[in-house]
Amino acid sequence: MLVRDAMSTVVLTIGPTHTLRQAAGLMAARRVGAAVVLDGDAGGVGILTERDILKSVGIGENPDRETAGAHTTTDVVFAAPSWTLEEAADAMAHGGFRHLVVLDGEGPVGIVSVRDIIRCWAPVRRQRAALVG
């Protein structure tokens, strides 16, 4: 199975000037754990995750003053739609993150999360277990 089969193609994109509260509100409304941050001035694509917001709030920073750009990961590991789910899972495990921005050509076409991979793998594993058992 490939990343294109598991990824979400509805990608929440925000700008670097969104506050963390605005980003959190948009993420909650869309029920996603990450937003792609597009910043043409800083060189392109980054990612802001729920974990980034949690860290900021946890150390007492004000979510109404802190911006997405200040908490965006810019050294992002990107996946291609043609990657296998095993390649994506390996990249996540080695990098210690739960989301990969999927690029095809010039821009993001999706995002794949650990949850997406598990959702795809679980039925296959159940089918294999039924055949063996």
Side-chain angles (χ1 to χ4, degrees):
M1 192 166 273
L2 302 177
V3 165
R4 76 171 48 93
D5 302 319
M7 72 182 190
S8 172
T9 57
V10 179
V11 179
L12 173 60
T13 58
I14 62 173
T17 60
H18 278 80
T19 67
L20 292 187
R21 184 175 308 279
Q22 289 170 324
L26 291 167
M27 290 164 67
R30 297 263 184 102
R31 301 183 62 169
V32 297
V36 173
V37 181
L38 299 177
D39 186 356
D41 294 335
V45 179
I47 189 167
L48 179 74
T49 67
E50 58 197 358
R51 187 181 300 175
D52 298 323
I53 296 169
L54 185 62
K55 284 179 188 176
S56 174
V57 172
I59 62 171
E61 293 178 330
N62 184 336
D64 292 314
R65 290 198 182 117
E66 292 297 313
T67 63
H71 297 276
T72 296
T73 300
T74 55
D75 58 340
V76 179
V77 175
F78 297 103
S82 60
W83 278 18
T84 65
L85 293 185
E86 288 82 6
E87 289 172 308
D90 284 345
M92 289 177 185
H94 290 297
F97 39 82
R98 299 179 291 170
H99 299 88
L100 289 172
V101 176
V102 182
L103 292 183
D104 190 13
E106 293 296 315
V109 294
I111 194 161
V112 65
S113 69
V114 170
R115 181 180 294 155
D116 296 327
I117 293 171
I118 291 170
R119 179 180 42 81
C120 289
W121 279 349
V124 172
R125 293 191 186 278
R126 280 194 297 270
Q127 289 172 349
R128 286 182 187 157
L131 292 174
V132 173

